[in-house]
């Protein structure tokens, strides 16, 4: 990794995890003493980035890592302990080494989840991602190899429902049927996917999500109802990867905002809780 790579104006990406976080008792005790986890921004950055460093996935200008996938710029989240669905963690980062790899959505969400589970139990409701699809990434056959991972689940034959939305700015320009075909080509082994006219009732307002600033102008959304073998942050990461790759294949070359949320979540109308 060269100095030029660090100084190049590569657009950032943003990922967010939504759900309910319930602190472990040691965190509750620490909070009562005025310690961890306040302030939330520093705490989220600490737990997620520590995990990424341990796995060798993140790098800094002062500590370059030629195998790194991103450089974290900011992080935050709402850890209010009221049992409501909130944006419990988000991170903004700059992708690295895209000539050799694709978007680091899955490993980054994995680090966020691992960090959150260090401080509490997590009930994931959904994720969102703001990705600058105008950037070129290394093409690879990444989806076939993931099917067996989900087939290893104890309840692999069960079907869980969730919704996925792709938002673009400008004049939209996304042909829903073409996007559906591209998604089906990549994920039909795992997912049943159908077009939907609108997100489910109570879905998160995309205008309130961290990273909304990446997508200019009025948002235009295409929505899908999905049924798959499980609902988890792994599945949310997988479907985010699939839809982003399908959108790029369908001709989208601009920043997009993607959301994936479990269905029938009555608490999702709760405050998003950005920062």
């Amino acid at each position: 990794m060269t100095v030029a790579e660090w100084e190049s104006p590569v657009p950032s990406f943003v990922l967010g995890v939504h759900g309910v976080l319930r602190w472990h008792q040691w965190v509750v005790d620490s909070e009562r003493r005025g310690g961890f986890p306040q302030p939330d921004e520093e705490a989220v950055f600490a737990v997620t980035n520590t995990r990424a460093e341990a796995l060798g996935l993140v790098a800094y200008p002062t500590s370059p890592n030629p195998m790194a996938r991103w450089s974290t710029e900011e992080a935050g989240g709402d850890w209010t302990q009221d049992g409501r669905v909130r944006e419990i963690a988000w991170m903004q980062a700059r992708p690295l080494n895209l000539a050799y790899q694709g978007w680091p959505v899955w490993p980054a969400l994995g680090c966020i989840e691992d960090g959150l589970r260090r401080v509490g139990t997590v009930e994931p409701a959904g994720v969102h991602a703001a990705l600058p699809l105008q950037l070129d990434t290394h093409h690879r056959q990444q989806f076939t190899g993931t099917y067996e991972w989900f087939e290893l689940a104890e309840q692999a034959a069960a079907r869980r429902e969730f919704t996925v939305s792709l938002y673009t700015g400008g004049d939209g320009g996304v042909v829903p049927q073409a996007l559906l075909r591209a998604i089906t080509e990549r994920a039909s082994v795992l997912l049943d996917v159908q077009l939907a006219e609108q997100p489910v009732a109570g879905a998160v307002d995309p205008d309130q999500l961290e990273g909304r600033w990446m997508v200019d102008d009025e948002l235009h959304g295409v929505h899908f109802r999905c049924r798959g073998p499980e609902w988890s942050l792994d599945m949310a990461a997988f479907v985010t990867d699939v839809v982003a790759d399908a959108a790029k294949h369908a001709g989208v070359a601009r920043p997009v905002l993607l959301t994936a949320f479990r269905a029938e979540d009555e608490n999702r109308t709760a405050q998003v809780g950005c920062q």
Side-chain angles (χ1 to χ4, degrees):
M1 187 181 306
T2 66
V3 173
E5 287 181 288
W6 281 104
E7 295 178 345
S8 63
V10 176
S12 303
F13 67 95
V14 176
L15 298 174
V17 173
H18 305 254
V20 179
L21 173 68
R22 294 184 174 87
W23 289 340
H24 294 318
Q25 187 59 48
W26 72 267
V27 180
V28 174
D29 295 341
S30 178
E31 194 275 337
R32 286 173 180 166
R33 295 192 298 269
F36 186 87
Q38 295 180 343
D40 290 343
E41 290 79 6
E42 292 182 9
V44 176
F45 190 98
V47 297
T48 59
N49 227 48
T50 298
R51 181 56 168 163
E53 285 186 280
L55 296 176
L57 295 171
V58 68
Y60 306 95
T62 56
S63 180
N65 174 5
M67 302 299 291
R69 311 234 18 211
W70 68 86
S71 171
T72 309
E73 297 171 327
E74 295 184 78
D78 186 344
W79 289 2
T80 303
Q81 296 294 287
D82 59 3
R84 303 174 70 193
V85 172
R86 295 177 177 272
E87 190 175 72
I88 53 179
W90 60 266
M91 65 173 282
Q92 175 182 315
R94 184 160 59 85
L96 301 173
N97 301 315
L98 287 181
Y100 305 100
Q101 57 199 353
W103 289 105
V105 171
W106 199 332
L109 283 175
C111 288
I112 293 174
E113 180 178 22
D114 287 349
L116 290 173
R117 293 192 187 282
R118 277 300 195 191
V119 299
T121 59
V122 180
E123 296 177 11
V127 306
H128 80 271
L131 303 175
L133 292 191
Q134 72 272 21
L135 295 182
D136 290 329
T137 61
H138 176 65
H139 177 72
R140 68 196 192 286
Q141 296 295 328
Q142 61 176 331
F143 302 117
T144 303
T146 65
Y147 301 150
E148 293 183 1
W149 173 251
F150 292 104
E151 291 172 354
L152 290 172
E154 183 178 357
Q155 300 295 326
R159 306 304 283 174
R160 301 289 184 265
E161 187 169 319
F162 49 95
T163 62
V164 181
S165 296
L166 172 75
Y167 296 95
T168 58
D171 59 357
V174 178
V175 179
Q177 287 293 345
L179 185 56
L180 176 61
R181 285 193 297 271
I183 295 171
T184 301
E185 288 173 1
R186 288 156 174 75
S188 60
V189 173
L190 279 178
L191 304 178
D192 302 317
V193 185
Q194 297 178 330
L195 282 167
E197 293 185 1
Q198 58 187 7
V200 294
V204 171
D205 180 357
D207 283 320
Q208 302 302 314
L209 295 174
E210 188 68 37
R212 166 65 178 90
W213 53 269
M214 287 180 56
V215 184
D216 295 331
D217 306 319
E218 181 180 356
L219 293 179
H220 300 268
V222 182
H223 314 289
F224 302 94
R225 183 170 62 253
C226 305
R227 298 181 71 244
E230 68 182 51
W231 168 253
S232 62
L233 288 184
D234 268 357
M235 178 58 71
F238 168 74
V239 75
T240 298
D241 266 342
V242 165
V243 176
D245 189 72
K248 196 168 181 67
H249 177 80
V252 178
R254 61 171 69 93
V256 299
L257 189 62
L258 282 153
T259 64
F261 279 84
R262 69 189 182 201
E264 301 176 354
D265 182 2
E266 63 183 10
N267 292 323
R268 216 179 322 152
T269 55
Q271 177 183 345
V272 173
C274 296
Q275 294 166 276

